[in-house]
Amino acid sequence: MNTRLKAQRVASFTLALMLLLALFPAADAFAGNLEGLRSGSLSDGDLAQGTTIVVVWASWSPKCRDIAERLNALEKRWGSRARVVSVNYQEKRADVEKFVDGAGLAVPVFLDPDADFSRKNSITTLPGLLVVRDGKPAYRGRFPDDPDKLLGEVLN
């Protein structure tokens, strides 16, 4: 194969790749729509506006047993500066409803039944914390026992 033909093929491949990347850009935080436990939904459009603190949890996780108390405290402390929501990780709606009703959770709960949201946001531990500012992840990782210091740094 001559040099000119190789260069044309490389140029064609590069152009095709650039077109694909333009058509399918990488998601900043989340691409999709999570259904709310009681009502509403959480979409990438919601996360693109302002600051949202997202805590991912599951009732079966021993580290999430006190999640309602911790989320309610988070809402009380940071709710004036950011939207505080929770995402339940891969549980049946009935199980989540039973847990939420018994725990008195005051923040909205959205369902991630297939774990797409968690995977796309690299949530690898429960409870997980994701802070999104104008559609861009500002923090993702473990939800610390005392999140105030971390959130003070991330939100300033």
Side-chain angles (χ1 to χ4, degrees), residues 58-59 61-73 99 103 105 127 143 145:
S59 65
S61 171
K63 294 182 179 180
C64 296
R65 294 290 181 220
D66 64 345
I67 200 67
E69 178 183 312
R70 295 175 67 199
L71 277 164
N72 291 343
F99 178 84
L105 182 58
F143 182 38
D145 292 334

mmCIF file of all heavy atoms in Angstrom, residues 58-59 61-73 99 103 105 127 143 145:
data_model
loop_
_atom_site.group_PDB
_atom_site.id
_atom_site.type_symbol
_atom_site.label_atom_id
_atom_site.label_comp_id
_atom_site.label_asym_id
_atom_site.label_seq_id
_atom_site.Cartn_x
_atom_site.Cartn_y
_atom_site.Cartn_z
ATOM 1 N N ALA A 58 -28.484 1.795 49.755
ATOM 2 C CA ALA A 58 -29.349 0.619 49.668
ATOM 3 C C ALA A 58 -29.695 0.185 51.089
ATOM 4 O O ALA A 58 -28.824 0.177 51.967
ATOM 5 C CB ALA A 58 -28.658 -0.514 48.923
ATOM 6 N N SER A 59 -30.929 -0.176 51.318
ATOM 7 C CA SER A 59 -31.348 -0.536 52.671
ATOM 8 C C SER A 59 -30.677 -1.814 53.175
ATOM 9 O O SER A 59 -30.527 -2.003 54.371
ATOM 10 C CB SER A 59 -32.867 -0.691 52.742
ATOM 11 O OG SER A 59 -33.301 -1.783 51.956
ATOM 12 N N SER A 61 -27.581 -2.571 52.844
ATOM 13 C CA SER A 61 -26.189 -2.321 53.217
ATOM 14 C C SER A 61 -26.101 -1.940 54.694
ATOM 15 O O SER A 61 -26.748 -0.984 55.131
ATOM 16 C CB SER A 61 -25.604 -1.183 52.379
ATOM 17 O OG SER A 61 -24.338 -0.798 52.870
ATOM 18 N N PRO A 62 -25.277 -2.652 55.462
ATOM 19 C CA PRO A 62 -25.123 -2.301 56.890
ATOM 20 C C PRO A 62 -24.664 -0.860 57.101
ATOM 21 O O PRO A 62 -25.033 -0.229 58.082
ATOM 22 C CB PRO A 62 -24.074 -3.288 57.393
ATOM 23 C CG PRO A 62 -24.076 -4.403 56.409
ATOM 24 C CD PRO A 62 -24.488 -3.812 55.098
ATOM 25 N N LYS A 63 -23.905 -0.319 56.156
ATOM 26 C CA LYS A 63 -23.409 1.053 56.289
ATOM 27 C C LYS A 63 -24.477 2.101 55.971
ATOM 28 O O LYS A 63 -24.241 3.284 56.136
ATOM 29 C CB LYS A 63 -22.187 1.250 55.392
ATOM 30 C CG LYS A 63 -21.005 0.413 55.840
ATOM 31 C CD LYS A 63 -19.809 0.654 54.974
ATOM 32 C CE LYS A 63 -18.642 -0.189 55.465
ATOM 33 N NZ LYS A 63 -17.453 0.001 54.664
ATOM 34 N N CYS A 64 -25.641 1.638 55.533
ATOM 35 C CA CYS A 64 -26.729 2.558 55.193
ATOM 36 C C CYS A 64 -27.892 2.480 56.173
ATOM 37 O O CYS A 64 -28.936 3.089 55.945
ATOM 38 C CB CYS A 64 -27.242 2.259 53.779
ATOM 39 S SG CYS A 64 -26.036 2.534 52.465
ATOM 40 N N ARG A 65 -27.746 1.781 57.250
ATOM 41 C CA ARG A 65 -28.853 1.610 58.197
ATOM 42 C C ARG A 65 -29.348 2.946 58.752
ATOM 43 O O ARG A 65 -30.530 3.126 58.970
ATOM 44 C CB ARG A 65 -28.444 0.694 59.359
ATOM 45 C CG ARG A 65 -28.166 -0.711 58.956
ATOM 46 C CD ARG A 65 -29.432 -1.438 58.554
ATOM 47 N NE ARG A 65 -29.104 -2.806 58.184
ATOM 48 C CZ ARG A 65 -29.645 -3.443 57.184
ATOM 49 N NH1 ARG A 65 -30.555 -2.871 56.456
ATOM 50 N NH2 ARG A 65 -29.295 -4.676 56.909
ATOM 51 N N ASP A 66 -28.448 3.899 58.962
ATOM 52 C CA ASP A 66 -28.832 5.208 59.506
ATOM 53 C C ASP A 66 -28.909 6.284 58.420
ATOM 54 O O ASP A 66 -28.813 7.468 58.698
ATOM 55 C CB ASP A 66 -27.843 5.632 60.594
ATOM 56 C CG ASP A 66 -26.434 5.841 60.065
ATOM 57 O OD1 ASP A 66 -26.128 5.397 58.929
ATOM 58 O OD2 ASP A 66 -25.623 6.445 60.787
ATOM 59 N N ILE A 67 -29.132 5.862 57.181
ATOM 60 C CA ILE A 67 -29.076 6.794 56.056
ATOM 61 C C ILE A 67 -30.141 7.887 56.151
ATOM 62 O O ILE A 67 -29.892 9.030 55.776
ATOM 63 C CB ILE A 67 -29.145 6.044 54.701
ATOM 64 C CG1 ILE A 67 -28.598 6.922 53.583
ATOM 65 C CG2 ILE A 67 -30.529 5.541 54.399
ATOM 66 C CD1 ILE A 67 -27.135 7.215 53.653
ATOM 67 N N ALA A 68 -31.320 7.569 56.655
ATOM 68 C CA ALA A 68 -32.377 8.587 56.763
ATOM 69 C C ALA A 68 -31.942 9.712 57.698
ATOM 70 O O ALA A 68 -32.073 10.892 57.365
ATOM 71 C CB ALA A 68 -33.678 7.949 57.249
ATOM 72 N N GLU A 69 -31.410 9.357 58.846
ATOM 73 C CA GLU A 69 -30.931 10.367 59.801
ATOM 74 C C GLU A 69 -29.818 11.219 59.182
ATOM 75 O O GLU A 69 -29.812 12.444 59.308
ATOM 76 C CB GLU A 69 -30.416 9.648 61.050
ATOM 77 C CG GLU A 69 -29.847 10.565 62.106
ATOM 78 C CD GLU A 69 -29.296 9.746 63.280
ATOM 79 O OE1 GLU A 69 -29.995 8.840 63.763
ATOM 80 O OE2 GLU A 69 -28.154 10.044 63.686
ATOM 81 N N ARG A 70 -28.898 10.564 58.498
ATOM 82 C CA ARG A 70 -27.771 11.285 57.897
ATOM 83 C C ARG A 70 -28.222 12.187 56.751
ATOM 84 O O ARG A 70 -27.744 13.317 56.601
ATOM 85 C CB ARG A 70 -26.710 10.294 57.427
ATOM 86 C CG ARG A 70 -26.092 9.538 58.609
ATOM 87 C CD ARG A 70 -25.131 8.478 58.178
ATOM 88 N NE ARG A 70 -23.964 9.111 57.566
ATOM 89 C CZ ARG A 70 -23.125 8.458 56.777
ATOM 90 N NH1 ARG A 70 -23.304 7.187 56.499
ATOM 91 N NH2 ARG A 70 -22.085 9.093 56.263
ATOM 92 N N LEU A 71 -29.148 11.703 55.924
ATOM 93 C CA LEU A 71 -29.660 12.520 54.818
ATOM 94 C C LEU A 71 -30.494 13.685 55.318
ATOM 95 O O LEU A 71 -30.405 14.799 54.783
ATOM 96 C CB LEU A 71 -30.475 11.655 53.858
ATOM 97 C CG LEU A 71 -29.666 10.897 52.820
ATOM 98 C CD1 LEU A 71 -30.486 9.799 52.186
ATOM 99 C CD2 LEU A 71 -29.127 11.846 51.776
ATOM 100 N N ASN A 72 -31.311 13.448 56.327
ATOM 101 C CA ASN A 72 -32.116 14.540 56.888
ATOM 102 C C ASN A 72 -31.214 15.634 57.469
ATOM 103 O O ASN A 72 -31.481 16.827 57.298
ATOM 104 C CB ASN A 72 -33.088 14.007 57.932
ATOM 105 C CG ASN A 72 -34.179 13.145 57.319
ATOM 106 O OD1 ASN A 72 -34.416 13.173 56.111
ATOM 107 N ND2 ASN A 72 -34.847 12.358 58.152
ATOM 108 N N ALA A 73 -30.116 15.235 58.118
ATOM 109 C CA ALA A 73 -29.158 16.214 58.649
ATOM 110 C C ALA A 73 -28.460 16.960 57.508
ATOM 111 O O ALA A 73 -28.223 18.172 57.592
ATOM 112 C CB ALA A 73 -28.128 15.517 59.539
ATOM 113 N N PHE A 99 -38.816 0.680 53.631
ATOM 114 C CA PHE A 99 -37.696 1.245 54.384
ATOM 115 C C PHE A 99 -37.901 2.734 54.628
ATOM 116 O O PHE A 99 -37.744 3.221 55.743
ATOM 117 C CB PHE A 99 -36.380 1.009 53.630
ATOM 118 C CG PHE A 99 -35.189 1.595 54.318
ATOM 119 C CD1 PHE A 99 -34.543 0.900 55.326
ATOM 120 C CD2 PHE A 99 -34.701 2.850 53.972
ATOM 121 C CE1 PHE A 99 -33.437 1.439 55.975
ATOM 122 C CE2 PHE A 99 -33.609 3.400 54.612
ATOM 123 C CZ PHE A 99 -32.966 2.683 55.618
ATOM 124 N N ALA A 103 -38.329 4.772 58.160
ATOM 125 C CA ALA A 103 -37.163 5.562 58.566
ATOM 126 C C ALA A 103 -37.433 7.057 58.649
ATOM 127 O O ALA A 103 -36.651 7.796 59.239
ATOM 128 C CB ALA A 103 -36.011 5.306 57.593
ATOM 129 N N LEU A 105 -37.466 9.293 56.079
ATOM 130 C CA LEU A 105 -36.565 10.010 55.179
ATOM 131 C C LEU A 105 -37.276 11.197 54.557
ATOM 132 O O LEU A 105 -38.358 11.052 53.978
ATOM 133 C CB LEU A 105 -36.047 9.056 54.102
ATOM 134 C CG LEU A 105 -35.044 9.591 53.091
ATOM 135 C CD1 LEU A 105 -33.814 10.132 53.792
ATOM 136 C CD2 LEU A 105 -34.652 8.492 52.120
ATOM 137 N N PRO A 127 -22.688 3.897 51.524
ATOM 138 C CA PRO A 127 -23.317 4.925 50.716
ATOM 139 C C PRO A 127 -22.280 5.707 49.911
ATOM 140 O O PRO A 127 -21.154 5.912 50.350
ATOM 141 C CB PRO A 127 -24.001 5.823 51.750
ATOM 142 C CG PRO A 127 -23.235 5.625 53.010
ATOM 143 C CD PRO A 127 -22.691 4.230 52.955
ATOM 144 N N PHE A 143 -19.502 8.446 50.954
ATOM 145 C CA PHE A 143 -20.221 9.415 51.770
ATOM 146 C C PHE A 143 -19.602 9.338 53.164
ATOM 147 O O PHE A 143 -19.802 8.362 53.883
ATOM 148 C CB PHE A 143 -21.709 9.060 51.797
ATOM 149 C CG PHE A 143 -22.576 10.009 52.579
ATOM 150 C CD1 PHE A 143 -22.363 11.377 52.581
ATOM 151 C CD2 PHE A 143 -23.654 9.524 53.300
ATOM 152 C CE1 PHE A 143 -23.183 12.238 53.287
ATOM 153 C CE2 PHE A 143 -24.493 10.376 54.008
ATOM 154 C CZ PHE A 143 -24.256 11.732 54.002
ATOM 155 N N ASP A 145 -18.575 9.825 57.147
ATOM 156 C CA ASP A 145 -19.375 9.863 58.380
ATOM 157 C C ASP A 145 -19.732 11.302 58.751
ATOM 158 O O ASP A 145 -20.824 11.567 59.229
ATOM 159 C CB ASP A 145 -18.616 9.194 59.529
ATOM 160 C CG ASP A 145 -18.483 7.695 59.315
ATOM 161 O OD1 ASP A 145 -19.333 7.107 58.611
ATOM 162 O OD2 ASP A 145 -17.516 7.109 59.829
#
